[in-house]
Amino acid sequence: MTQPLDVLVFYSPVGSTEDVLAAVFAAGAGAIGDYTECAWWVEGTGQFRPGPGANPAVGVVGELETLPEHRVEVTFPRERRGAVVAALRAAHPYEEPAFHVLETGAV
């Protein structure tokens, strides 16, 4: 039986997307059938305000920051979830990367 594929959606500063993708690909994301390094992304504007105690990679504590980001989607086998999320966290430049994992029934 084939393991279900889930979807990782994350937001990355435009200049870091390829590095973060390389890390999640190395952890087992992005393979669909006979294809590897599969991803979809679109550019938009991210916004955040670092609070007290934050150590932002971009921006200044207390000030609203906006910058171009990619919304990125990749699939991965459910059994690789821990490794894929750990790779995302390790490679992402933000102190608190925004992401979510969607469980699918697709195989």
Side-chain angles (χ1 to χ4, degrees):
M1 182 173 170
T2 304
Q3 176 86 212
L5 291 178
D6 290 340
V7 179
L8 170 67
V9 179
F10 66 90
Y11 305 88
S12 172
V14 169
S16 299
T17 300
E18 290 183 18
D19 291 339
V20 178
L21 276 172
V24 298
F25 291 155
I32 302 173
D34 293 333
Y35 296 84
T36 61
E37 299 181 39
C38 302
W40 179 86
W41 72 73
V42 64
E43 190 170 326
T45 302
Q47 174 179 306
F48 55 89
R49 183 185 307 271
N55 183 22
V58 176
V60 176
V61 170
E63 294 183 17
L64 185 63
E65 180 71 30
T66 60
L67 70 156
E69 292 183 325
H70 286 137
R71 174 191 164 112
V72 183
E73 299 184 18
V74 295
T75 60
F76 63 92
R78 187 166 293 157
E79 67 185 10
R80 301 296 305 156
R81 180 182 294 178
V84 169
V85 170
L88 167 72
R89 289 183 183 277
H92 201 288
Y94 289 170
E95 183 177 28
E96 300 286 346
F99 70 93
H100 50 278
V101 174
L102 307 171
E103 287 190 4
T104 72
V107 292

